[in-house]
Amino acid sequence: MATRRTISRFDRVNQWLQFARQWHIIDANHQDANKLGDKVAMHLMGKHKPIWHPETDCGDHVVVINCKLVAMHGFDWKHTLYHFNKEYPRSKADLPAWQIHEYDPCRIVFLSIYKSLGNNLIRRRHIQRLHLFVDEEMPEFIKRNLGNQLEQVQRVARRSDEYTLEERAAFPRLVKRYIYEKMGITLSSRFTTDHVHDWESIVNNPGRHIKPGPKDNQRK
């Protein structure tokens, strides 16, 4: 007679978590909106569970923070248009992504996740477990329910002023220091007084360059 294997406590807890509604949190800081929507939609539908079925509602709750810092690829903020139609006369409108993001910072994340859920009726129940926040502030009862942190879909690059002094000294040099010492030139004397290091202070955006036209040359 074959002996029955006893389930361990760890396996039993994992089995309970499959049927329970877990709470996941993910940071949308500098994350691609489309990739983020695919990952959040997978947890809202419960596709990461072995008991998933297209007609079952076994998904979890997902909390997305820093929605105002979400990113899009290239010029998608300008060229991505969202169509809105209220079925009223002259109610159709195609709005760019940047205009929607300025009005509601959480709307772009909502639309990308809702699109990733697929074209079905059960996604109306899935989207009810989505919690979006503009920044890191959230109600206290949501913090108590959080049990897992999802990995971001892409790595966040650091600014040049966020590196430490040791990391700056380890940067590869285009010109060796001893070459200037042989020439009798110190590094501090090479630069002018108004020279700015990009890691010490952020350089302001000079704005868009306006090419002078033929009328401007005639005026001169």
Side-chain angles (χ1 to χ4, degrees):
M1 183 176 179
T3 59
R4 186 177 180 181
R5 175 181 173 271
T6 58
I7 187 172
S8 62
R9 293 184 178 180
F10 181 77
D11 295 338
R12 189 179 297 276
V13 171
N14 287 335
Q15 187 178 15
W16 291 343
L17 290 176
Q18 294 179 6
F19 299 95
R21 301 281 191 190
Q22 300 186 55
W23 286 69
H24 309 276
I25 185 173
I26 186 171
D27 191 358
N29 182 18
H30 290 80
Q31 302 299 304
D32 186 78
N34 298 324
K35 296 180 180 179
L36 180 66
D38 295 339
K39 185 167 187 176
V40 173
M42 182 181 66
H43 287 78
L44 289 176
M45 292 184 292
K47 278 190 174 182
H48 62 291
K49 298 182 179 181
I51 61 173
W52 175 80
H53 189 269
E55 297 182 358
T56 59
D57 187 15
C58 59
D60 299 334
H61 293 263
V62 180
V63 180
V64 184
I65 60 176
N66 292 327
C67 291
K68 64 179 180 181
L69 302 177
V70 70
M72 297 189 76
H73 182 72
F75 292 94
D76 287 352
W77 284 112
K78 178 181 178 181
H79 298 296
T80 303
L81 301 177
Y82 291 90
H83 181 73
F84 296 92
N85 185 10
K86 296 182 179 180
E87 301 295 338
Y88 286 98
R90 293 181 295 180
S91 63
K92 298 180 181 180
D94 293 331
L95 302 179
W98 66 269
Q99 188 174 354
I100 300 175
H101 189 68
E102 286 186 353
Y103 180 78
D104 186 3
C106 298
R107 193 63 180 177
I108 295 296
V109 180
F110 177 86
L111 293 174
S112 61
I113 296 174
Y114 195 72
K115 180 182 178 181
S116 301
L117 289 174
N119 190 9
N120 49 60
L121 295 178
I122 200 173
R123 68 174 178 176
R124 299 178 182 177
R125 187 178 299 177
H126 292 159
I127 204 66
Q128 293 178 359
R129 293 190 296 271
L130 178 64
H131 310 274
L132 303 176
F133 297 99
V134 179
D135 47 15
E136 297 181 356
E137 297 182 0
M138 65 185 73
E140 189 65 27
F141 76 94
I142 293 183
K143 295 181 180 179
R144 293 195 300 264
N145 293 330
L146 294 177
N148 182 32
Q149 182 177 1
L150 300 179
E151 185 180 0
Q152 292 180 320
V153 295
Q154 57 189 19
R155 186 177 62 89
V156 180
R158 291 189 297 173
R159 298 198 310 268
S160 57
D161 57 345
E162 295 178 352
Y163 288 91
T164 60
L165 297 177
E166 292 77 9
E167 293 175 339
R168 298 175 190 173
F171 286 163
R173 306 287 180 177
L174 297 178
V175 182
K176 300 296 182 180
R177 181 182 296 271
Y178 66 87
I179 297 179
Y180 292 106
E181 294 177 355
K182 289 183 179 181
M183 298 175 59
I185 301 176
T186 59
L187 293 179
S188 59
S189 62
R190 288 186 62 249
F191 305 106
T192 58
T193 56
D194 58 347
H195 181 78
V196 179
H197 293 281
D198 57 350
W199 56 71
E200 294 180 358
S201 61
I202 302 176
V203 180
N204 296 328
N205 187 7
R208 183 178 179 181
H209 173 69
I210 301 177
K211 186 177 180 180
K215 295 182 179 181
D216 299 335
N217 297 332
Q218 295 177 0
R219 293 175 182 176
K220 294 181 180 179

